[in-house]
Amino acid sequence: MRIRRILAAAIATAALAGLGLTGAAATATAAQGAPSYVTPSQCKQGGGTPAINEAGNYCKGGTYDGEQID
């Protein structure tokens, strides 16, 4: 009887963990689809260098590496 309770608790925990991971993956996928823009000052504050004169106007390095500069 005790083993059944432990087994049921373990299965419930695994099922809930799986649902949590699925929700996190869906949120991450939705966030990647939207283009992100940062200002030159945000790029600098994040430790990057704004490459405004290069094709695409991207932030190089830091927290916003690869983000387009608005």
Side-chain angles (χ1 to χ4, degrees), residues 11-56:
I11 291 171
T13 302
L16 290 174
L19 290 175
L21 292 175
T22 304
T27 304
T29 303
Q32 284 180 343
S36 177
Y37 298 97
V38 295
T39 63
S41 61
Q42 286 175 318
C43 179
K44 289 178 186 178
Q45 288 174 355
T49 304
I52 295 174
N53 294 332
E54 296 182 21

Side-chain angles (χ1 to χ4, degrees), residues 45-67:
Q45 288 174 355
T49 304
I52 295 174
N53 294 332
E54 296 182 21
N57 297 334
Y58 291 100
C59 181
K60 288 186 174 182
T63 306
Y64 301 107
D65 185 35
E67 301 294 332

Side-chain angles (χ1 to χ4, degrees), residues 3-19:
I3 294 173
R4 285 185 188 175
R5 280 190 232 151
I6 293 172
L7 183 59
I11 291 171
T13 302
L16 290 174
L19 290 175

